[in-house]
């Protein structure tokens, strides 16, 4: 019974959330409300944008890996964690965008009059400095939830020691940062500010799904 309920409710949630955000882009009144709410409450909106979209991506990735719809452990905690990540990313995107813009205005770096160069420099700076820290923290937080699920002792040493940092550096930092995140976030910073966190969340969804297909293919 639970599997049947999951097979109905989870995809309904995932595709419903995606449909809602798509409607925001299509319907003028919804788009106006969305932009106004984001301008007035950027961090609250950042929380919910990322929480809903990123959790949807996580559920879709689980479906691809496990060949059935299922909930991850501590789904409410994961929702809250994704939301806090959305607040963190909203803040850092403003910091890096404003900082790079100021450097360009003062002619400390090139790019005056070029939206593309500003977006590229902002993306590269953010992903090469803040990005690795963010990814490492997120990996540790996921590991904590996994350890709680299987009732392992949770402490800094056990969390850090259970993560394959060599693979993290070789793949996540050396490959995905220059080949995926910097180009993708360059596009993100070309968008109006209200939609930057939305695209950032969609990118997390997309990468999670791509990696799930890769994991599935290797396991066959």
């Amino acid at each position: 019974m639970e599997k049947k309920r999951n097979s109905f409710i989870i995809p309904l949630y995932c595709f419903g959330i995606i449909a809602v955000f798509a409607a925001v882009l299509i319907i003028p009144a919804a788009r106006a409300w969305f932009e106004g709410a984001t301008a007035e409450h950027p961090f609250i909106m950042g929380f919910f944008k990322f929480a809903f979209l990123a959790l949807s991506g996580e559920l879709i990735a689980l479906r691809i890996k496990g060949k059935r719809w299922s909930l991850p452990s501590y789904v409410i905690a994961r929702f809250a964690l994704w939301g806090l990540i959305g607040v963190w990313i909203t803040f850092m995107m403003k910091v890096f965008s404003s900082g790079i813009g100021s450097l360009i205005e003062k002619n400390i770096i090139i790019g005056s009059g070029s939206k593309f160069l500003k977006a590229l420099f902002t993306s590269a700076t953010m992903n090469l400095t803040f990005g690795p820290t963010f990814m490492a923290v997120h990996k540790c937080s996921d590991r904590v939830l996994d350890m709680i699920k299987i009732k392992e002792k949770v402490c800094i040493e056990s969390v850090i020691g259970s993560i394959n940092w060599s693979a993290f550096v070789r793949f996540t930092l050396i490959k995905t940062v220059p080949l995926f995140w910097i180009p993708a976030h360059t596009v993100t910073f070309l968008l109006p500010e209200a939609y930057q966190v939305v695209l950032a969340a969609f990118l997390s969804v997309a990468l999670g799904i791509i990696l799930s297909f890769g994991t599935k293919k290797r396991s066959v």
Side-chain angles (χ1 to χ4, degrees):
M1 179 65 71
E2 184 178 352
K3 288 183 180 179
K4 289 183 178 179
R5 186 166 59 247
N6 286 342
S7 67
F8 173 75
I9 294 175
I10 297 175
L12 182 65
Y13 165 84
C14 292
F15 298 112
I17 291 299
I18 294 172
V20 166
F21 279 94
V24 166
L25 299 177
I26 295 169
I27 302 171
R31 187 166 62 247
W33 173 86
F34 181 82
E35 292 174 355
T38 298
E40 189 171 352
H41 306 289
F43 298 115
I44 294 175
M45 290 294 287
F47 180 96
F48 287 108
K49 290 174 192 175
F50 225 91
F52 282 115
L53 281 168
L55 182 60
S56 298
E58 192 167 3
L59 293 171
I60 294 170
L62 278 175
R63 170 64 178 83
I64 295 168
K65 289 179 182 178
K67 299 182 180 180
R68 64 182 178 87
W69 291 104
S70 60
L71 290 173
S73 57
Y74 302 100
V75 65
I76 301 300
R78 290 179 185 276
F79 179 88
L81 179 62
W82 279 119
L84 293 174
I85 287 172
V87 174
W88 191 15
I89 288 178
T90 300
F91 176 77
M92 296 308 296
M93 290 179 88
K94 290 179 178 294
V95 168
F96 282 99
S97 182
S98 297
I100 292 298
S102 178
L103 292 175
I104 291 175
E105 287 177 5
K106 295 176 181 178
N107 293 318
I108 295 175
I109 60 176
I110 62 171
S112 180
S114 173
K115 291 183 179 181
F116 173 76
L117 285 178
K118 181 186 176 184
L120 175 61
F121 292 152
T122 303
S123 176
T125 304
M126 185 178 76
N127 281 289
L128 293 173
T129 55
F130 161 70
T133 301
F134 160 73
M135 294 175 196
V137 170
H138 188 214
K139 183 170 282 291
C140 288
S141 65
D142 272 353
R143 183 58 186 146
V144 167
L145 292 178
D146 291 338
M147 293 174 74
I148 292 173
K149 180 183 178 181
I150 59 177
K151 298 181 179 179
E152 285 188 20
K153 180 182 178 182
V154 177
C155 62
I156 293 177
E157 289 78 10
S158 63
V159 172
I160 293 175
S162 64
I163 293 172
N164 187 340
W165 293 108
S166 177
F168 174 76
V169 172
R170 286 199 313 270
F171 180 76
T172 304
L173 299 189
I174 294 178
K175 292 183 179 178
T176 67
V177 168
L179 298 178
F180 181 83
W181 290 116
I182 290 178
H185 281 145
T186 299
V187 175
T188 300
F189 283 111
L190 287 170
L191 294 177
E193 193 171 307
Y195 300 97
Q196 290 177 2
V197 174
V198 173
L199 182 55
F202 268 118
L203 291 172
S204 296
V205 171
L207 182 62
I209 292 171
I210 291 168
L211 295 180
S212 296
F213 275 117
T215 301
K216 182 179 179 182
K217 185 176 179 180
R218 287 194 296 271
S219 65
V220 173

